Amino acid sequence: MRYAYLAVATALLAPAPGFSQAPKPVVLGIVTAQTGPLAAAGRFQMNGFAMALDALNRDGGIEIAGQRRPVALKVYDTHCSPAEGASAMERLASVDRAAMVLGELCSPAVAAETPVAQDNSVPFVITVPTAENLTLSGNPWVFRVNADNNQLNQALGRYVVEKGLAPLAFIAWNNDAGRGGVRSMEALLGASAKVAYTGYFNVGEVDFSAHVSNIRRAGARSVMLFMDEEPGALAIRQLRDAGLGVQLIGTLAMGSARFLARLDAKYLAGMMQYNAFPPSAPQPRIRAFDDQYRARFKEESHGFAAQSYDALMLAADALHRAGTTTDGEAVRKALAATSYDGVIGHIAFDAHGQAAPPVYVTQWCDDGTRKIIFPAELASACGGG
Amino acid sequence: MAFPAMAFPAMAVIAQAVNGIMMGAVYALFAVGMVLVFGVMRVLNFAHGAVFMAGGYLCWFAMAHVSPIYPVALLFSTAGGAAIGLVLERLVFRRLRENLSMQIVASLGLILMAQNGVLLLFGADALQIEAPSLRRVLRLGELGFTVQHLVILAAVAVAVASLHVFLSRSRLGIAMRAASQDIQAARVVGIAPDRVFAITFALSGALAALGGALLGPLFLVFPGMGDLPLLKGLTAIVLGGMGSVWGAVLGGLAIGLLEAEATLFAPTDYRDLVVFAALIATLLLRPRGLFGTAIRGEP
């Protein structure tokens, strides 16, 4: 909500030559988690939206049908709850009259929100959840800027097979994200890599000792962790403290300086993870975003922030091309025709509304820096991942 | 890089026994605090998990800003938990003593207030209690446990033994037991119920906060850290028998052990199913739990 007030205040203070009245702000809806177990991830998402909001309003907002209009965000904390997500979407569509809705962190919440978006003809741009069925369900009002489980796993799966890291073990969240990740990786690997153990845990659980014992018993060579930072740090600590020398393989949440701060280089050395946005990568677009993010938030940038930043920028681009904020169908068509060079890479949606941004595999070095190890053409030295 | 499978599955059983008893000890500590309050006052305090969580945050605060010595932080948290217990009794539960449904509503409200309060004060990120000496790994053949595993077991043993001595030997402990059996008769022999109730709540809060402070260095400190102990602690109380301190202790240990060992033979996400199936089976055979006795006034 504070972003909405901020944008409106900016709009009122800004000079508006040629108009006796300030132009009406374009309202965009944000669904995220600002409290509860996923509040930390939600903060990254909101940081990305806040950066994009400022960038847009610094230029006077979005030019729609010849008029520049400031952007205002209506933010709802859905706590990743499907019921609260559906309710927030209903409110954004019917009360706030949002031209588009962006964000969300959890696949189950998205699954509840998308039918409401469709019923109200409001385009919905997902920026973090990865369950592949979210864009495969045939709902034309749903778009996703970030890579889905299949896209993320492909690079990692190929690397696992190439390096002979099987038999594999999985520890995953007992939800759509975790189970979807495991399912997708198992389907990708097929018979080429043996899975020795799969264990699930509920969000909020912190004791991984049962998984440690089972992985040791199963004789796995590598362990894939489908979870975010907090349980990831706990799982790694417990695996290493128990003396397991397995190859650790993580998700994009585990390739950041923040993650290193939760553990230390000793625990992470050699660990690899897929990554949609390696913040230390030498590419100019990533460097520029990371520098700007660091200057504002005093920490390394994060993939969730970059994805959310890009989503808001391309939403503005689509509204500009559609020339309307009230004709949902026109906005949807403009979004579907998106071809946008963002911070995370080039974004264009396929027939299911799914983008195909670049995916990397990064690895932790002994000195606590990271390097890109996949794709080979983008491989970097330690400190460049 | 390959790590050999365990030579004997028995080692996995032993590893899980240690892990299970450690978690079970924390559940037991939690359950004993709830049982004390329920036994003496007939108050079911669901906000006990919030006090557990507060203990974790107090420990983090003490280690970061008061003294980096862990035993000092434990004492700080325990004292803080006792103070929270006193405040809760005086401001909330004293007024709701005869109203079970309002106790439940009030304690659920307290959980929301506490969890969002710590979010405001400490932020959304889970906190790590920095205590390298507690993280030191002790090797036992293939197995490895942190020093904190042993600290938890020792601290819970000392706390439960001290509580037993307090309840059976001290005048105040005997007064608490008297109040739990018949409040009117206790009044007749000169026991002041309000004082007993306040001390019971303080003791209960201290035990909960101690649990949070013990688990914090091993895992993380976050707003929802009391949720799981609340669920398992309640289960331990029902399994052990409502109102029985020793029942709560054994119930907690049994649940910890059962859920840990179950993961060796069933998928890890089925462990709660195993625990609750065992609970239902126990209640079918012994409807008052393992050590439960008939409560005066109940059919």
Side-chain angles (χ1 to χ4, degrees):
Chain A
M1 285 294 285
R2 62 179 183 274
Y3 297 108
Y5 296 136
L6 184 70
V8 172
T10 310
L12 291 173
L13 290 171
F19 292 93
S20 56
Q21 202 175 7
K24 196 177 163 196
V26 176
V27 176
L28 297 174
I30 303 292
V31 278
T32 184
Q34 292 181 304
T35 55
L38 289 159
R43 188 169 58 79
F44 291 128
Q45 192 173 40
M46 283 312 305
N47 288 350
F49 285 133
M51 284 174 69
L53 178 73
D54 286 358
L56 290 169
N57 283 340
R58 210 178 298 126
D59 294 337
I62 310 171
E63 187 184 328
I64 295 169
Q67 187 189 23
R68 280 220 167 259
R69 293 168 58 184
V71 183
L73 302 183
K74 279 275 185 185
V75 182
Y76 285 90
D77 181 358
T78 67
H79 312 97
C80 277
S81 149
E84 293 195 43
S87 162
M89 183 64 81
E90 189 73 54
R91 190 177 164 84
L92 281 165
S94 56
V95 178
D96 301 317
R97 302 278 178 200
M100 207 182 290
V101 176
L102 304 98
E104 198 49 80
L105 286 167
C106 307
S107 299
V110 172
E113 288 157 0
T114 49
V116 184
Q118 184 171 26
D119 290 348
N120 290 280
S121 302
V122 176
F124 181 20
V125 183
I126 306 167
T127 70
V128 172
T130 54
E132 55 273 30
N133 59 0
L134 298 178
T135 44
L136 294 177
S137 62
N139 184 336
W141 296 87
V142 178
F143 300 86
R144 173 160 49 193
V145 295
N146 58 295
D148 68 13
N149 281 334
N150 277 335
Q151 293 165 327
L152 290 168
N153 284 340
Q154 253 162 9
L156 206 51
R158 212 179 313 159
Y159 197 82
V160 165
V161 174
E162 271 175 24
K163 298 290 175 189
L165 295 175
L168 270 170
F170 296 111
I171 307 178
W173 261 331
N174 188 20
N175 61 16
D176 269 19
R179 286 185 176 272
V182 171
R183 199 170 47 237
S184 163
M185 185 56 87
E186 282 179 334
L188 276 169
L189 294 173
S192 58
K194 184 188 167 200
V195 176
Y197 170 74
T198 303
Y200 296 102
F201 69 99
N202 294 318
V203 173
E205 277 183 32
V206 290
D207 180 11
F208 292 88
S209 57
H211 304 291
V212 173
S213 293
N214 280 316
I215 289 166
R216 195 198 296 270
R217 197 159 59 117
R221 280 175 60 87
S222 55
V223 178
M224 274 195 192
L225 306 164
F226 287 104
M227 58 192 79
D228 76 358
E229 274 184 30
E230 282 170 9
L234 282 170
I236 291 166
R237 191 186 292 279
Q238 289 172 44
L239 284 162
R240 289 296 188 230
D241 284 349
L244 280 177
V246 290
Q247 170 67 54
L248 295 171
I249 304 170
T251 60
L252 56 87
M254 298 168 203
S256 67
R258 249 174 72 92
F259 193 63
L260 177 67
R262 290 180 182 278
L263 294 156
D264 59 43
K266 175 179 70 116
Y267 281 102
L268 291 179
M271 179 182 179
M272 57 179 73
Q273 52 276 317
Y274 60 61
N275 207 321
F277 181 78
S280 305
Q283 285 95 322
R285 60 187 163 78
I286 295 180
R287 291 272 31 86
F289 182 81
D290 188 56
D291 290 346
Q292 201 187 340
Y293 190 98
R294 279 175 194 271
R296 178 160 177 180
F297 299 108
K298 313 295 178 215
E299 62 181 3
E300 186 182 72
S301 60
H302 192 280
F304 292 177
Q307 288 158 193
S308 301
Y309 176 90
D310 279 350
L312 188 50
M313 296 305 276
L314 71 82
D317 174 62
L319 287 167
H320 169 64
R321 284 185 285 108
T324 174
T325 59
T326 52
D327 182 349
E329 180 59 24
V331 176
R332 189 192 69 75
K333 281 183 177 159
L335 260 179
T338 290
S339 176
Y340 180 80
D341 284 315
V343 172
I344 61 171
H346 185 71
I347 300 171
F349 298 112
D350 65 13
H352 300 290
Q354 176 64 50
V359 175
Y360 312 80
V361 178
T362 59
Q363 186 169 33
W364 284 99
C365 302
D366 291 344
D367 62 356
T369 60
R370 297 174 304 270
K371 60 181 178 182
I372 297 173
I373 55 174
F374 185 90
E377 63 273 20
L378 294 176
S380 67
C382 288
Chain B
M1 192 56 119
F3 198 87
M6 269 189 178
F8 306 106
M11 290 301 280
V13 174
I14 295 168
Q16 282 305 89
V18 175
N19 291 321
I21 290 171
M22 188 273 293
M23 279 308 290
V26 175
Y27 298 154
L29 200 59
F30 189 97
V32 165
M34 280 195 88
V35 153
L36 276 181
V37 166
F38 180 79
V40 175
M41 298 172 66
R42 299 288 179 270
V43 165
L44 208 46
N45 177 19
F46 286 105
H48 201 61
V51 185
F52 182 93
M53 175 266 291
Y57 277 95
L58 285 169
C59 184
W60 176 87
F61 179 83
M63 294 284 281
H65 302 291
V66 180
S67 163
I69 301 166
Y70 183 59
V72 174
L74 273 186
L75 286 174
F76 182 86
S77 309
T78 308
I84 293 170
L86 277 176
V87 171
L88 288 181
E89 193 277 334
R90 187 68 190 85
L91 296 184
V92 182
F93 290 101
R94 185 175 291 190
R95 296 155 201 271
L96 305 175
R97 214 174 278 161
E98 304 300 327
N99 192 334
L100 182 64
S101 55
M102 287 308 290
Q103 288 168 15
I104 293 170
V105 172
S107 47
L108 293 178
L110 285 168
I111 293 172
L112 289 176
M113 286 169 65
Q115 292 190 343
N116 286 296
V118 295
L119 269 177
L120 278 174
L121 283 173
F122 297 97
D125 293 344
L127 303 177
Q128 182 80 58
I129 294 174
E130 293 302 335
S133 58
L134 300 175
R135 291 250 170 70
R136 209 151 46 81
V137 179
L138 305 171
R139 299 266 173 234
L140 194 70
E142 288 180 22
L143 306 178
F145 300 101
T146 63
V147 170
Q148 184 64 3
H149 277 74
L150 301 183
V151 170
I152 289 175
L153 291 174
V156 173
V158 169
V160 171
S162 306
L163 182 69
H164 174 70
V165 171
F166 171 76
L167 289 176
S168 57
R169 302 282 169 84
S170 73
R171 285 179 64 86
L172 201 54
I174 292 167
M176 283 168 65
R177 285 164 54 208
S180 76
Q181 287 169 13
D182 191 324
I183 190 68
Q184 296 305 332
R187 252 188 248 268
V188 168
V189 296
I191 292 170
D194 283 350
R195 183 162 170 261
V196 168
F197 293 161
I199 289 167
T200 304
F201 244 97
L203 203 51
S204 168
L207 291 172
L210 175 63
L214 286 170
L215 212 53
L218 199 56
F219 301 138
L220 292 171
V221 176
F222 57 102
M225 70 180 284
D227 296 351
L228 190 69
L230 176 66
L231 180 68
K232 298 293 166 64
L234 278 171
T235 313
I237 292 169
V238 177
L239 183 67
M242 292 294 283
S244 164
V245 170
W246 284 109
V249 172
L250 292 176
L253 289 172
I255 286 170
L257 202 54
L258 185 63
E259 69 176 8
E261 296 294 353
T263 57
L264 295 176
F265 309 103
T268 45
D269 44 322
Y270 285 15
R271 64 175 157 192
D272 286 347
L273 189 147
V274 173
V275 167
F276 287 106
L279 173 71
I280 291 167
T282 307
L283 292 181
L284 285 174
L285 294 171
R286 292 183 62 86
R288 294 186 189 282
L290 293 172
F291 299 93
T293 50
I295 294 173
R296 189 184 295 268
E298 281 189 356

